[in-house]
């Protein structure tokens, strides 16, 4: 499965575009964390942020499994 992602993560232009999008999404979740008083939304934003940060490590994970 990870092998199928090599084309995406090793294409500099695509990878940078994906990372920019992920950074933007993290910023949106961060704003939710700072502004919400709803516990459920707070936990959802925390979970989303954790997953998005994990996605930023995808390139290293894919390339370490040769």
């Amino acid at each position: 499965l990870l092998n199928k992602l090599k084309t995406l993560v090793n294409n500099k232009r695509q990878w940078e575009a994906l990372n920019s999008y992920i950074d933007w999404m993290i910023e949106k979740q961060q704003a939710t964390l700072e502004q919400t008083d709803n516990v459920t939304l707070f936990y959802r934003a925390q979970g989303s942020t954790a997953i998005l940060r994990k996605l930023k490590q995808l390139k290293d994970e894919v390339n370490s499994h040769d």
Side-chain angles (χ1 to χ4, degrees):
L1 179 64
L2 292 176
N3 235 10
K4 293 179 181 179
L5 296 172
K6 279 193 178 211
T7 349
L8 169 68
V9 299
N10 291 320
N11 180 310
K12 185 176 175 158
R13 196 167 126 220
Q14 287 181 338
W15 183 245
E16 287 176 355
L18 180 60
N19 260 309
S20 294
Y21 176 73
I22 292 171
D23 287 338
W24 178 73
M25 292 298 295
I26 289 172
E27 287 175 20
K28 286 182 65 171
Q29 295 304 317
Q30 195 67 36
T32 299
L33 284 169
E34 293 169 359
Q35 297 170 3
T36 192
D37 57 358
N38 182 311
V39 176
T40 303
L41 290 179
F42 183 86
Y43 287 135
R44 283 182 187 166
Q46 271 187 326
S48 296
T49 301
I51 294 300
L52 290 164
R53 288 189 175 137
K54 181 76 175 159
L55 280 173
K56 288 185 69 79
Q57 299 169 0
L58 183 63
K59 183 175 185 173
D60 295 333
E61 190 170 338
V62 167
N63 287 327
S64 71
H65 288 88
D66 286 333

